[in-house]
Amino acid sequence: MNYHIITQEKFFNTYIEDIYRLGLEDDNVIWVRGNEGKNAFFHTERKVEYLGNSRHHYEEKLKLLKPEDRLFVSWYDSKIGNAILRSGIKNPVYVYLMGAEFYSMPYWWH
């Protein structure tokens, strides 16, 4: 299974739609950072799970991953990095380098 932790940015609307258009929805789980409605540009009618803002909650969700699962992360920052490290997962982690990773604080984290 592929798990995607995404931000509420407008370009993820089409990212989610592509998963369904390609018929890959049974192999992908979308976790959205924050609470529903946080960003007026992010809209989807597809099944997603909002993670809220608690690092502890992120850690608990990550512990659900099985050894064969893969994790895809957009906007890798210290909150996500800490959650991944504290969860103790050994799964492959793929990070999208989309821009924010190069200027968000703390920049040395990236």
Side-chain angles (χ1 to χ4, degrees), residues 3-97:
Y3 289 85
H4 305 263
I5 298 178
I6 64 171
T7 61
Q8 294 188 40
E9 298 296 333
K10 60 185 173 187
F11 47 82
F12 280 109
N13 296 330
T14 54
Y15 179 82
I16 294 168
E17 286 304 314
D18 284 345
I19 289 172
Y20 282 84
R21 190 174 13 257
L22 295 170
L24 302 173
E25 61 272 12
D26 293 336
D27 297 323
N28 292 276
V29 174
I30 308 294
W31 289 335
V32 182
R33 291 179 71 169
N35 298 312
E36 187 172 1
K38 176 183 170 188
N39 185 328
F41 297 111
F42 180 77
H43 300 287
T44 184
E45 295 177 10
R46 304 299 187 174
K47 182 181 175 187
V48 299
E49 183 178 344
Y50 292 89
L51 295 178
N53 296 303
S54 165
R55 189 198 73 228
H56 177 72
H57 184 67
Y58 294 177
E59 291 171 27
E60 294 304 311
K61 294 304 283 185
L62 290 168
K63 289 177 184 177
L64 299 175
L65 272 63
K66 297 176 185 166
E68 65 272 11
D69 294 335
R70 291 175 298 266
L71 179 64
F72 296 85
V73 179
S74 73
W75 200 299
Y76 185 90
D77 60 5
S78 58
K79 182 182 266 188
I80 290 295
N82 281 328
I84 291 170
L85 290 173
R86 289 175 176 260
S87 71
I89 65 169
K90 304 290 186 220
N91 305 69
V93 177
Y94 303 91
V95 178
Y96 297 99
L97 297 178

Side-chain angles (χ1 to χ4, degrees), residues 75-79 100-110:
W75 200 299
Y76 185 90
D77 60 5
S78 58
K79 182 182 266 188
E101 289 79 12
F102 299 109
Y103 59 80
S104 64
M105 295 301 283
Y107 63 88
W108 59 85
W109 185 270
H110 309 293

